[in-house]
Amino acid sequence: MELYFAPMEGITTCLYRRIHAEIFPGTDRYYAPFLAPDGQGNCRSSSLRDILPENNADIDLVPQILCNRPEAFLRVARLLADMGYREVNLNVGCPSSTVVPKHKGAGMLLDLNSLDIFLAEVFSRCPLRISVKTRLGMESAAEFPAILEIYNRYPIHQLIIHARDRNGMYKSEPDLAAFAAAYRESRAPVCYNGNLFSPASLQTVLAAAPELNAAMLGRGAVTDPALFRRLRGGAPLCAEELAEFLRRLEAAFLSAGIPEHYALARLKEIWFYTIHMFPGSPKGAKAINKAQSLADYHAAADRLLQNNFSPTAAFSG
Ligand SMILES: Cc1cc2nc3c(=O)[nH]c(=O)nc-3n(C[C@H](O)[C@H](O)[C@H](O)COP(=O)(O)O)c2cc1C
């Protein structure tokens, strides 16, 4: 089974990916958070820096584009080809209310004729393989057969299915029956995504789609950075590894010139997930949230790591 780290905007940056790959080797591929080009195909320089090959040495990285204009998509794809990438991922899953009304991300599913035209344009001219990360629909998975009919017209390198509709945001139960049907009918190889938080959750997905050979983990892996190893039957996370991971991340943020208050905010975002490894410690969670300085933060994090860590806990929404 191939296991991929999902793109998580604001979290799985190049610094995060590098340190994760060093401490927890064995993730088959990382997907970068989206590049969002403007109408001319220009991207923010910070987003481009994040995917520069020199900032992603020794990891298999697939950049992602969030965009509904073929020319802009192709301009970024050419830039990625010049950097040496061989694959680009199209985001058809972002549920944000600032993205969807512009018919981007999951909003591309609002008008299937436009989606078809977009795909025809980019597949006829893109220098890279294209994979697609999609939701099952806007309002219901019942939309997916019509969506898949369009995807099946194109040589999609891999179809990553986040098994929810857009209205489910990140909360509804993944629809495994709809996923299994999509898996059977897709011409492109399929990767599963959605709520893989433990070995048991992977088994549930495999019961629905026994031939599945690729899965993508997001929040579960930010909660437990050793989840890839655990899903392969390896040892669960230990507190020392987690402490080292967090220490190395902090050091990397600071040595990249990120100011202390911003480094603290970035660490708190990671702790929003990883606090689930410390069940039954609401005071510890509050202390992390309330930390005003890295010194406060260290005191709170050390206390949690020494007293409340549970190696088999998992993200629970
Ligand atoms: C904070 C956050 C940022 C995300 N950023 C992206 C992104 O840049 N591109 C993308 O395709 N999906 C993004 N996602 C969605 C995840 O990649 C993934 O599809 C989703 O979290 C479901 O997987 P999970 O249940 O394993 O977390 C993001 C999700 C979260 C919670």
Side-chain angles (χ1 to χ4, degrees):
M1 166 77 72
E2 296 252 304
L3 295 175
Y4 308 143
F5 210 137
M8 301 275 288
E9 202 215 352
I11 299 175
T12 60
T13 58
C14 61
L15 297 174
Y16 184 101
R17 296 189 295 265
R18 173 164 58 75
I19 293 165
H20 183 264
E22 281 171 15
I23 301 185
F24 302 101
T27 302
D28 293 301
R29 190 173 301 151
Y30 293 78
Y31 284 75
F34 59 77
L35 298 162
D38 64 16
Q40 279 69 53
N42 299 309
C43 298
R44 290 213 323 252
S45 55
S46 57
S47 308
L48 288 175
R49 224 174 12 254
D50 186 67
I51 48 110
L52 282 178
E54 60 261 40
N55 293 334
N56 292 281
D58 302 326
I59 67 168
D60 186 349
L61 181 70
V62 176
Q64 184 187 66
I65 303 179
L66 175 88
C67 163
N68 63 1
R69 294 192 183 196
E71 290 308 328
F73 181 96
L74 289 164
R75 179 150 182 231
V76 181
R78 283 186 212 108
L79 187 70
L80 297 173
D82 289 344
M83 290 182 190
Y85 286 103
R86 299 215 307 252
E87 178 181 337
V88 62
N89 183 260
L90 172 69
N91 181 324
V92 192
C94 180
S96 159
S97 53
T98 58
V99 166
V100 166
K102 296 178 192 154
H103 290 218
K104 295 180 188 175
M108 292 184 95
L109 303 175
L110 283 164
D111 176 354
L112 297 188
N113 191 40
S114 299
L115 176 67
D116 194 15
I117 292 168
F118 174 89
L119 293 175
E121 278 286 313
V122 298
F123 272 95
S124 62
R125 292 158 58 206
C126 185
L128 302 175
R129 305 190 294 238
I130 303 174
S131 57
V132 173
K133 183 164 178 280
T134 186
R135 296 234 175 193
L136 288 169
M138 277 296 295
E139 298 191 351
S140 154
E143 297 161 35
F144 203 66
I147 295 166
L148 188 58
E149 202 185 304
I150 291 171
Y151 289 149
N152 278 346
R153 293 177 193 159
Y154 300 97
I156 292 175
H157 180 66
Q158 189 171 43
L159 186 63
I160 302 165
I161 300 178
H162 180 182
R164 293 185 163 97
D165 57 46
R166 181 268 175 167
N167 284 356
M169 301 299 280
Y170 297 107
K171 280 213 181 312
S172 62
E173 271 306 300
D175 188 335
L176 294 186
F179 171 79
Y183 177 84
R184 284 192 301 272
E185 300 300 324
S186 172
R187 264 183 57 200
V190 168
C191 169
Y192 175 84
N193 173 237
N195 284 22
L196 288 177
F197 301 147
S198 65
S201 57
L202 180 59
Q203 290 314 314
T204 306
V205 174
L206 283 171
E211 311 284 307
L212 184 74
N213 57 16
M216 173 179 269
L217 321 181
R219 294 163 299 170
V222 179
T223 302
D224 172 359
L227 187 57
F228 297 90
R229 182 175 78 203
R230 215 173 134 217
L231 292 188
R232 294 198 162 100
L237 182 67
C238 68
E240 292 73 23
E241 280 177 313
L242 180 58
E244 188 193 349
F245 181 57
L246 293 165
R247 201 167 44 240
R248 295 263 305 273
L249 275 175
E250 180 184 332
F253 292 158
L254 296 175
S255 67
I258 295 174
E260 177 173 329
H261 70 277
Y262 189 47
L264 179 61
R266 298 269 298 265
L267 290 163
K268 285 184 184 178
E269 266 188 83
I270 294 164
W271 271 94
F272 173 80
Y273 296 96
T274 216
I275 193 68
H276 289 89
M277 300 305 289
F278 305 84
S281 44
K283 277 190 183 160
K286 269 197 197 131
I288 297 267
N289 276 333
K290 278 169 63 181
Q292 294 292 324
S293 66
L294 285 175
D296 292 349
Y297 159 75
H298 292 152
D302 288 351
R303 217 173 307 122
L304 277 166
L305 282 156
Q306 279 158 25
N307 300 313
N308 305 95
F309 177 73
S310 166
T312 53
F315 183 75
S316 57

